[in-house]
Amino acid sequence: MALLENPLGHPEKFHISKDLGFILEDPLEELPDCYQVWVRLAKNLPSLIQNGQFREEVKQLPELNISQLQGHKEQRLAHLALAVITMGYVWQDSEVMQVLPRKIAVPFCEISKQLGLPPIMVYADCVLANWKKKDPSGPMTYENMDTLFAFPGGDCSKGFFLVSLLVEKAAASAIGVIPDIFEAIKSKNVESLKESLRTVASSVHKAIEVFDLVHKHVNPNVFFDTLRIYLSGWKNNPLLPNGLIYEGVWETPKMFCGGSAAQSSIMQCFDALLGIQHSSAEEKTSAKFLEEMRNYMPSSHKDFLEAVTSSPSVRDFIISSDDIKLKKDYNECVKALVHLRSYHLQVVAKYIINQSNKQDNAKEKKSSDNQEKGTGGTNLMTFLKTVRNTTEKALLKES
């Protein structure tokens, strides 16, 4: 099947950009007139929450049918706006809402079904589709970019989403060489394969460099105390132990994970491409979570990952080769991923674990398990260390 040999042979099918990878290229900022009420409300979320008025505004919304939304970009903007509204409605204050009103729940679930996404804010919303250039003709740099929607926490919200986006952009150059990698394996062109692997390693190193911007643009106190709650889901969350009721859609509450870096298609793409398996006995909890997170990606991105996974094994081809330099180039890709995951651990320690410990010390009590869980609902450090260690185990003997 042609798509398996060349997963980027039909990028429009997968909604993947050759320049930006999984990032939504040139996202729309407005919806057709009748749906603009969602966009306006989502844009006003920070001030309305500050005034305690957001939920009242949600209750004033008209009940809209999504039938007039056309095309992938309109669907993505609608999903993003409804996701932002949902998170604001549930988490506005200490009185957590257990029922999402049908005016939001019904269209949100319908648009989610069309995109193959769950009805909650996912990484593909708040990072991959939540951006614009200040100067449309200018570059995609932090200084020339803004988010479409923000949460309380001022510039911290913008910083968190945009730095994540720029990490994705830095890593995206690897996506363009995936067809070349499979072509090189098919034709047994070892020199071409080495060159492509060097591009992959270089792109991951660039992503690590960009990741460093988080310390400049995201305040740990503001992230932990203000922004983080709006990224949280209703699975494995004691604040919503039974999940959330979607009025007019399901009679029983539903549980969905919050936004998580584990929902980044590009990181799972690197694992699939390099044959990194997170599935041994001691790692099965992490492996299961990563597999579950594929259901939090647009279905087209999930299809792409499955196409890569189903393609001829890059790792097996390299293991069967006698070329020491080829194994070395493969290992450089794996080492770069280990470095990225180690760096992610450091960031999580600074922004979540240390902040949690500070609060414990102030209150003279031990942190609740919930504070050290990620917004996706996992035990953060255990999950991240396991994934990092599994990646390291993929290194090949070069001799």
Side-chain angles (χ1 to χ4, degrees):
M1 184 177 174
L3 283 183
L4 299 187
E5 295 171 7
N6 183 349
L8 278 185
H10 295 274
E12 71 285 349
K13 174 183 175 181
F14 297 110
H15 300 295
I16 291 170
S17 159
K18 287 185 174 170
D19 294 323
L20 302 181
F22 295 98
I23 296 170
L24 184 65
E25 209 162 23
D26 299 321
L28 298 176
E29 294 183 48
E30 295 186 352
L31 288 171
D33 286 348
C34 66
Y35 303 110
Q36 264 300 101
V37 62
W38 295 339
V39 173
R40 283 194 296 272
L41 180 56
K43 280 188 182 297
N44 289 330
L45 179 145
S47 60
L48 288 169
I49 281 188
Q50 187 176 6
N51 297 330
Q53 297 175 323
F54 188 76
R55 286 179 185 145
E56 286 307 310
E57 291 294 326
V58 171
K59 290 172 185 172
Q60 304 305 316
L61 286 172
E63 194 165 325
L64 299 175
N65 185 301
I66 66 163
S67 60
Q68 292 180 56
L69 288 170
Q70 295 183 343
H72 183 71
K73 287 188 178 182
E74 282 191 7
Q75 291 175 345
R76 289 288 293 275
L77 179 55
H79 195 276
L80 168 59
L82 290 169
V84 168
I85 292 168
T86 296
M87 304 318 264
Y89 185 84
V90 172
W91 301 120
Q92 173 180 291
D93 50 42
S94 57
E95 186 193 352
V96 179
M97 290 292 103
Q98 299 181 34
V99 179
L100 188 66
R102 63 176 295 127
K103 293 174 178 182
I104 293 298
V106 172
F108 194 22
C109 289
E110 287 176 352
I111 201 72
S112 296
K113 190 174 180 182
Q114 290 186 0
L115 287 166
L117 288 170
I120 191 169
M121 189 172 73
V122 296
Y123 185 90
D125 292 317
C126 60
V127 173
L128 301 181
N130 184 27
W131 67 278
K132 64 180 179 180
K133 289 181 183 178
K134 293 175 183 174
D135 173 6
S137 62
M140 272 185 76
T141 58
Y142 190 91
E143 292 69 28
N144 189 43
M145 293 173 71
D146 207 345
T147 55
L148 299 179
F149 306 106
F151 287 98
D155 286 344
C156 184
S157 172
K158 171 184 171 181
F160 183 74
F161 297 136
L162 287 186
V163 171
S164 301
L165 182 88
L166 290 170
V167 169
E168 288 272 335
K169 179 177 178 288
S173 55
I175 300 295
V177 300
I178 289 177
D180 302 333
I181 287 173
F182 292 133
E183 186 56 42
I185 290 172
K186 183 181 174 186
S187 60
K188 297 182 170 57
N189 186 336
V190 172
E191 293 310 309
S192 172
L193 181 54
K194 288 178 189 173
E195 187 180 339
S196 294
L197 289 173
R198 287 194 288 270
T199 299
V200 172
S202 172
S203 73
V204 179
H205 284 301
K206 283 179 196 162
I208 296 165
E209 287 175 26
V210 172
F211 204 167
D212 196 52
L213 288 171
V214 72
H215 303 295
K216 181 179 178 183
H217 296 293
V218 184
N219 180 294
N221 296 323
V222 177
F223 173 78
F224 189 83
D225 294 334
T226 305
L227 177 60
R228 193 164 171 255
I229 186 66
Y230 295 101
L231 308 176
S232 301
W234 23 96
K235 183 175 182 178
N236 300 330
N237 190 336
L239 296 173
L240 276 168
N242 300 315
L244 182 71
I245 293 173
Y246 289 76
E247 189 180 62
V249 184
W250 296 296
E251 292 182 6
T252 55
K254 297 294 176 183
M255 294 190 180
F256 295 109
C257 297
S260 165
Q263 296 165 6
S264 165
S265 302
I266 202 159
M267 294 306 150
Q268 291 215 31
C269 179
F270 287 138
D271 286 341
L273 181 66
L274 299 171
I276 296 170
Q277 301 284 340
H278 299 280
S279 54
S280 65
E282 68 271 21
E283 295 142 0
K284 61 185 178 185
T285 303
S286 297
K288 187 179 176 186
F289 181 69
L290 284 171
E291 188 63 32
E292 182 187 355
M293 288 303 96
R294 289 198 179 188
N295 297 323
Y296 288 73
M297 302 173 187
S299 56
S300 52
H301 293 179
K302 185 180 177 184
D303 291 346
F304 176 86
L305 293 182
E306 288 170 358
V308 173
T309 304
S310 304
S311 296
S313 171
V314 175
R315 182 178 171 84
D316 288 351
F317 180 85
I318 293 168
I319 288 172
S320 66
S321 170
D322 296 327
D323 194 310
I324 302 298
K325 185 68 175 70
L326 181 60
K327 290 185 170 72
K328 202 176 187 73
D329 286 332
Y330 172 87
N331 278 348
E332 287 304 314
C333 294
V334 177
K335 287 175 186 174
L337 271 182
V338 171
H339 186 182
L340 178 60
R341 284 173 165 152
S342 294
Y343 193 84
H344 190 195
L345 268 164
Q346 293 171 31
V347 171
V348 166
K350 175 179 176 179
Y351 283 82
I352 296 176
I353 308 305
N354 293 355
Q355 292 299 312
S356 179
N357 291 340
K358 275 186 196 173
Q359 287 195 359
D360 292 346
N361 293 336
K363 298 173 186 172
E364 298 184 346
K365 71 175 186 66
K366 176 74 182 82
S367 172
S368 70
D369 182 47
N370 187 50
Q371 284 182 301
E372 296 190 6
K373 277 184 175 173
T375 47
T378 57
N379 183 301
L380 263 177
M381 298 306 275
T382 302
F383 169 70
L384 292 172
K385 283 177 182 174
T386 303
V387 172
R388 190 268 314 274
N389 295 344
T390 315
T391 307
E392 199 162 26
K393 287 177 189 172
L395 287 165
L396 301 175
K397 289 182 180 176
E398 293 176 14
S399 57

